[in-house]
Amino acid sequence: MPLAMNREVFITCAVTGGGGTQDRSPHVPRSPKQIADSAIAAAKAGAAVVHCHVRDPETGVAARDLKLYREVTDRIRDAEVDVVLNLTAGMGGDVIFGSPENPLPLSDTTDMVGAAERVAHVAECRPEICTLDCGTMNFAEADYVMTNTPGMLTAMGKMMTELGVKPEIEAFDTGHLWYAKQLVKDGALDSPALVQLCMGVPWGAPDDLNTFMAMVNNVPEDWTFSAFALGRNQMPFVAAAVLAGGNVRVGLEDNLMLDKGVLAKNEQLVERAGEIIERLGARVIGPQEVREKLGLTKRAPV
């Protein structure tokens, strides 16, 4: 796609994630109330979209519990602030092998379930957007394989589309974009599609600008994309994404720090991103403008 700055930018806040960050910062929300409250604060700070995982309220470990998702969803929808709801559908595809010499049987911490179960909370809560991790890759955090086969992605993509929920394609490398275009060609996803370029996630696409532009140049011209990078490169990639024609994602899922030695809250990261966007001469748009741009329909839970 041609390189042109985006002057109408929406911010997504990735509120809590599913990684093992819960004990690294007291600001990482765990309970449904904490997650919803943090999402609402991010929306008040300027996030048009909130991307939510759920966690076990006691341990903080990532969960797939329908009741937790429903409580988070209801709390956000009952708030006085408007925001586009984006739920993860990335859970349930984690394959954890045994040792290099004895990879089988799989570890009992493997979490691999069928397509319908992976999107059950999406069918239950009917968010406007849900994520679709568009490929398989090694993950460094816990030495596991994020597994999303072509058949699984086709099945999940069709389910999301039939539910009237907009899939956000999570592309961790260029091959993921290649397959996303195939999913559209096969009719599993509608076009124009929505893409999140995930930079610097070990071991996907590194967060250097050459790789980033290779990703951007593989996004079809009529699709909408956002981008993020992990850790201290989160804010530089706010600027890079806008200059490359995209939208931005920030939040505690991807970065815990506001400044060196200063732990962040979600709303502070959103405010910082908004300042960068406006200093570049662009405008931060709100949730209703995002719905109009992406063809989303706000709905109550079914």
Side-chain angles (χ1 to χ4, degrees):
M1 63 190 304
L3 180 61
M5 177 177 164
N6 182 14
R7 296 190 180 274
E8 304 285 327
V9 181
F10 65 82
I11 301 172
T12 296
C13 181
V15 177
T16 189
T21 58
Q22 67 272 16
D23 296 321
R24 293 168 54 195
S25 170
H27 304 310
V28 175
R30 300 185 179 202
S31 71
K33 183 179 186 304
Q34 290 171 343
I35 294 167
D37 286 349
S38 193
I40 292 163
K44 290 179 177 178
V49 183
V50 289
H51 169 61
C52 298
H53 294 240
V54 294
R55 293 177 179 267
D56 182 290
E58 298 300 322
T59 65
V61 174
R64 289 191 291 106
D65 190 312
L66 286 178
K67 292 180 180 178
L68 298 177
Y69 274 111
R70 189 57 182 265
E71 183 177 347
V72 168
T73 299
D74 288 347
R75 285 180 178 275
I76 292 172
R77 284 180 168 147
D78 288 343
E80 74 280 7
V81 64
D82 187 25
V83 70
V84 174
L85 182 61
N86 175 337
L87 296 182
T88 185
M91 301 290 292
D94 300 344
V95 174
I96 303 176
F97 293 92
S99 70
E101 294 300 328
N102 295 287
L104 297 177
L106 298 176
S107 166
D108 58 10
T109 56
T110 288
D111 180 29
M112 190 72 193
V113 298
E117 187 171 348
R118 288 183 69 174
V119 300
H121 62 295
V122 176
E124 169 75 13
C125 299
R126 300 294 178 95
E128 290 141 291
I129 300 171
C130 68
T131 61
L132 183 66
D133 296 337
C134 215
T136 296
M137 64 177 281
N138 293 327
F139 256 79
E141 182 178 88
D143 193 26
Y144 73 94
V145 179
M146 178 183 76
T147 307
N148 297 286
T149 66
M152 179 68 76
L153 289 171
T154 298
M156 290 175 65
K158 286 181 177 179
M159 289 177 190
M160 294 168 182
T161 301
E162 290 168 0
L163 287 168
V165 178
K166 182 82 169 179
E168 181 185 73
I169 296 160
E170 306 294 286
F172 295 83
D173 219 331
T174 51
H176 298 180
L177 288 170
W178 187 7
Y179 192 64
K181 286 181 274 191
Q182 186 65 44
L183 287 171
V184 170
K185 183 178 179 181
D186 293 343
L189 303 181
D190 291 335
S191 185
L194 173 64
V195 178
Q196 185 72 249
L197 302 180
C198 310
M199 309 302 298
V201 179
W203 300 107
D207 56 358
D208 62 84
L209 290 177
N210 282 334
T211 304
F212 177 56
M213 288 313 304
M215 298 279 278
V216 170
N217 288 329
N218 274 283
V219 177
E221 187 172 348
D222 61 337
W223 292 15
T224 298
F225 81 89
S226 294
F228 72 87
L230 299 187
R232 61 184 176 183
N233 282 337
Q234 184 173 79
M235 292 304 161
F237 263 78
V238 169
V242 174
L243 291 171
N247 302 281
V248 306
R249 170 172 136 173
V250 295
L252 295 178
E253 176 171 351
D254 309 318
N255 167 46
L256 299 178
M257 309 304 294
L258 184 65
D259 293 302
K260 186 175 181 179
V262 180
L263 291 169
K265 296 180 180 180
N266 276 310
E267 60 268 30
Q268 293 174 316
L269 295 172
V270 171
E271 289 169 354
R272 180 72 58 85
E275 292 169 0
I276 293 170
I277 293 165
E278 290 174 352
R279 286 180 178 273
L280 288 171
R283 183 175 71 89
V284 177
I285 66 174
Q288 189 53 40
E289 290 173 283
V290 172
R291 293 187 185 101
E292 293 168 2
K293 179 181 179 69
L294 300 179
L296 307 177
T297 301
K298 184 177 182 179
R299 59 173 67 87
V302 175

